[in-house]
Amino acid sequence: MKEFKFTQAHKEKFEEDGFLALEGFLSETECDKLRGECMKIVDEMNPEEHNTVFSTDKHEQMESNYLLTSNDKIRFFWEKEALDENGKLCLPKHQALNKMGHALHILSDPFREVTFSEKMQSIFKALDFVKPAIPQSMYIFKPAKIGGEVNRHIDATFLYSDPLKLVGVWLALEDATLNNGCMWFVPGSHKQCDVTYRMVMNPVEGARPATVFEGNMKHHDFDDYKAVPVKKGTLVLIHGMVHHRSNRNTSESSRNIYTFHVTETNDSKWSERNWLQPANGTKFPLLYEDSNATS
């Protein structure tokens, strides 16, 4: 496998479109290692201890602290169709999960190795990050037949800092196709986007839901979105303000991916109202620190 190099042309394409697909970033072996690690984690998980559904429209998981306290843990979120009317699992657990997160990059050696690799660092150095931190990571299953739709959104709605410099890393561990729920983007939408809609901690202490949405989202028409199917091993960079979405998976093939976010911490303040906060007075782990450039 040839050595990975993030070029000036890559940087310019990302800055122009707000997303960039880099084919062959992970080898077949690296992808299978992450999928194997995921299988092991799910094998060891007791479904009775994890009964939270993930829904991109109703945000049912926000009714409890299960998600809000997942900053230093690996927790599990089911597809709605995987549970019966009594909230009991009605499918095998490996075929029923929407996602797991949000500390895979901290608690799992294989995921940590990929996240903090030199080739990953090289991308963010080229993008002029000085002190990049990783606030969260997720494994998204998009299971066959029931994998849920992800509605139109920007990542800065959920992960905000001032000034904002946020990039998502999205690694395809299986082929992502038109049939199984590949990503769709509005090219260049990050350049005309303001963060007018945010999910924040409920200002009323102890109230439910624990988070609320403030403001209004200015959506693009569905016709503005461009499908980006990618092969297994592809890395997709996602600007924090680019509009994107994915369709429901009704196919016979799953669409497993590993994703995490990188935020600049040099001269930038993480919002205290974000749903995700560092655990127990700690700080988010740094991808690296350019000591020559920090202020």
Side-chain angles (χ1 to χ4, degrees), residues 140-152:
I140 300 177
F141 294 84
K142 206 80 163 181
K145 299 182 181 180
I146 65 168
E149 174 187 9
V150 176
N151 294 329
R152 295 173 293 176

Side-chain angles (χ1 to χ4, degrees), residues 71 105 132-136 263 265 270 276-279 282-287:
N71 41 21
H105 62 295
I134 301 172
Q136 67 161 3
T263 185
T265 64
W270 186 253
L276 181 69
Q277 297 295 328
T282 62
K283 295 182 178 181
F284 295 132
L286 296 179
L287 182 59

